[in-house]
Amino acid sequence: MKTPIPIYDAILVDEAQDFPPAFLRLCYELLNDEKRLVYAYDELQVLNSQSMPSPEELFGKKPDGTPRVRFSTPQIGKPKQDIILEKCYRNSRPVLATAHALGFGIYRKSDPEIGTGLVQIFDQKSLWLDVGYVAIDGDLDDGCEVTLARTEESSPNFLEAHSSIDDLIQFHCFGSQQEQDEWVANAIADNLEKEEFLPDDIIVINPDPLSTRKVVGPIRASLFERNINTHLAGVDTSPDVFSNAEMDSVTFTGIYRAKGNEAGMVYIINAQDCYSSFGNLATVRNQLFTAITRSKAWVRVLGFGNEMEKLVEEFNQVRENNFQLKFTYPTSEQRKNMNIINRDMTDEEKRRIKRGKHELIGLIEDLESGKIFVEDLGRDQVKRLREYLNKEGE
């Protein structure tokens, strides 16, 4: 293997959570001896649910076994190596707290297999304080009830002072996709014709990137009939163009193209797809978090059907609790089960699990009905199954 030749004095990587670790290691190798690498990332915007590795893990070890990169303790007069930005200027307190509540599943109905409704949680409890929350009641300890709130210091209230909370963030559940689409088209028309919005002030986000081109068609057609221009980012434009004032066009996009962009008004359609998902629950919740936080002011979360009703119920609990996060901090065992059950799965893993459940249910029913007997399964197989179940129950 050839030794890389340093060619840069400094490298800045934005949205680093979207790059594989190998890319950051390559950047590190391409720097001169001073290794001025700055990478900025948001843990909750990792849409594949893979956490950002620590510097020690990310950049590997020296021949003597010590880490190549290790962040030192902050010292007076020297720049910090690890900086957490706790103040949020883009999203208002209600919008950001709602995004966190739904992203983590703070008010989600409890899962009996885990004993909590939480979908995911920070690995380090102190990160809640680092990103701008304070514990106004209870403690951030395993099994303890805690209430977290954002302060005026971490979430300046200039947006709340300008608009009411019910105007800043709204959730709507419709009876059908057609009703949703009609509402969105009417709302965008009002934004442009009555409320002095410009087309580039508006983004319409569909969380599922695979269905975006198809599902946004009816809304765009309705707006076209009203002489309102629209474009699908990266499809009707070059990959490098998302939106700009000169286009005079409302931007429609999937969640991946939305990342790194923002607008005054954000419409999130088909949000019911983010309530629950077998095999990638954390991912779809992160998609919703990312979509909501694209808004610099107003956000409308829209969907239809039973799962959207449940998502609206979660939001209502956020609002009833004054946009505070009130929950029981999961124990280490719950966090372990949470990571297992809500982990991302490949299509093959999903098929295998579904097939295994179906076969297990059939076996149990045959045993209970007397169609087969335990002895038919073989002594060794029964013994192995009992040993495994006993081990899991310990």
Side-chain angles (χ1 to χ4, degrees), residues 252-265:
F252 283 70
T253 181
I255 189 60
Y256 289 101
R257 287 288 296 151
K259 284 168 62 63
N261 293 286
E262 58 187 31
M265 173 66 79

Side-chain angles (χ1 to χ4, degrees), residues 43-218:
E43 196 77 82
L44 267 185
Q45 291 191 45
V46 184
L47 298 184
N48 61 7
S49 291
Q50 298 296 315
S51 296
M52 178 68 71
S54 66
E56 293 84 354
E57 180 184 356
L58 183 60
F59 298 105
K61 296 180 179 180
K62 300 176 183 177
D64 63 2
T66 59
R68 300 182 71 192
V69 176
R70 177 183 286 162
F71 289 167
S72 59
T73 303
Q75 300 178 25
I76 297 177
K78 293 186 177 181
K80 293 182 179 179
Q81 289 183 284
D82 188 12
I83 303 172
I84 297 177
L85 304 178
E86 66 174 31
K87 185 172 294 189
C88 180
Y89 291 103
R90 178 168 68 193
N91 308 129
S92 64
R93 177 187 67 96
V95 168
L96 186 56
T98 297
H100 279 133
L102 297 179
F104 284 104
I106 298 292
Y107 296 107
R108 178 172 168 263
K109 184 178 179 181
S110 180
D111 185 334
E113 295 188 39
I114 307 176
T116 177
L118 290 168
V119 172
Q120 53 193 332
I121 200 74
F122 286 136
D123 292 335
Q124 301 176 41
K125 300 169 187 176
S126 61
L127 282 178
W128 286 105
L129 309 180
D130 293 335
V131 298
Y133 286 90
V134 295
I136 61 174
D137 190 27
D139 298 302
L140 280 168
D141 290 324
D142 289 11
C144 294
E145 288 191 2
V146 65
T147 301
L148 303 175
R150 299 192 66 79
T151 67
E152 289 190 13
E153 177 64 24
S154 60
S155 285
N157 67 354
F158 54 87
L159 282 172
E160 288 186 69
H162 175 273
S163 299
S164 69
I165 290 176
D166 287 340
D167 186 32
L168 288 173
I169 182 165
Q170 297 178 10
F171 277 60
H172 296 285
C173 180
F174 300 92
S176 66
Q177 181 173 344
Q178 182 179 356
E179 289 182 17
Q180 169 197 258
D181 294 352
E182 291 176 354
W183 190 93
V184 174
N186 290 333
I188 291 175
D190 286 344
N191 292 153
L192 298 174
E193 297 166 5
K194 301 177 182 179
E195 299 168 358
E196 300 183 353
F197 280 77
L198 297 175
D200 65 309
D201 292 327
I202 303 170
I203 298 176
V204 182
I205 302 174
N206 181 63
D208 179 8
L210 298 179
S211 66
T212 298
R213 187 167 188 170
K214 177 181 178 181
V215 299
V216 302

Side-chain angles (χ1 to χ4, degrees), residues 6 21 74 78 86 100 161 165 173 175 181 187 194 220 269 299 317 340-341 366 372 377 383:
K78 293 186 177 181
E86 66 174 31
H100 279 133
I165 290 176
C173 180
D181 294 352
K194 301 177 182 179
R220 296 183 65 195
I269 60 174
V299 60
Q317 290 190 60
I340 293 174
I341 292 176
D366 286 346
I372 64 174
L377 302 178
K383 180 182 177 181

Side-chain angles (χ1 to χ4, degrees), residues 310-373:
K310 294 176 182 177
L311 203 60
V312 171
E313 290 175 5
E314 284 188 40
F315 169 69
N316 287 339
Q317 290 190 60
V318 183
R319 184 171 55 184
E320 289 168 7
N321 282 281
N322 191 29
F323 298 93
Q324 298 170 356
L325 310 183
K326 185 176 182 180
F327 62 104
T328 300
Y329 206 89
T331 63
S332 59
E333 185 65 23
Q334 287 175 323
R335 293 196 295 272
K336 174 184 174 183
N337 292 335
M338 190 189 309
N339 292 336
I340 293 174
I341 292 176
N342 295 333
R343 73 188 188 280
D344 263 7
M345 302 179 194
T346 64
D347 290 339
E348 175 57 30
E349 288 174 322
K350 293 177 186 178
R351 287 192 293 268
R352 183 173 296 177
I353 290 172
K354 289 179 179 179
R355 184 170 62 248
K357 284 184 176 180
H358 178 75
E359 292 172 353
L360 181 59
I361 291 171
L363 175 61
I364 293 173
E365 291 176 347
D366 286 346
L367 287 168
E368 290 176 339
S369 65
K371 292 181 180 179
I372 64 174
F373 299 95

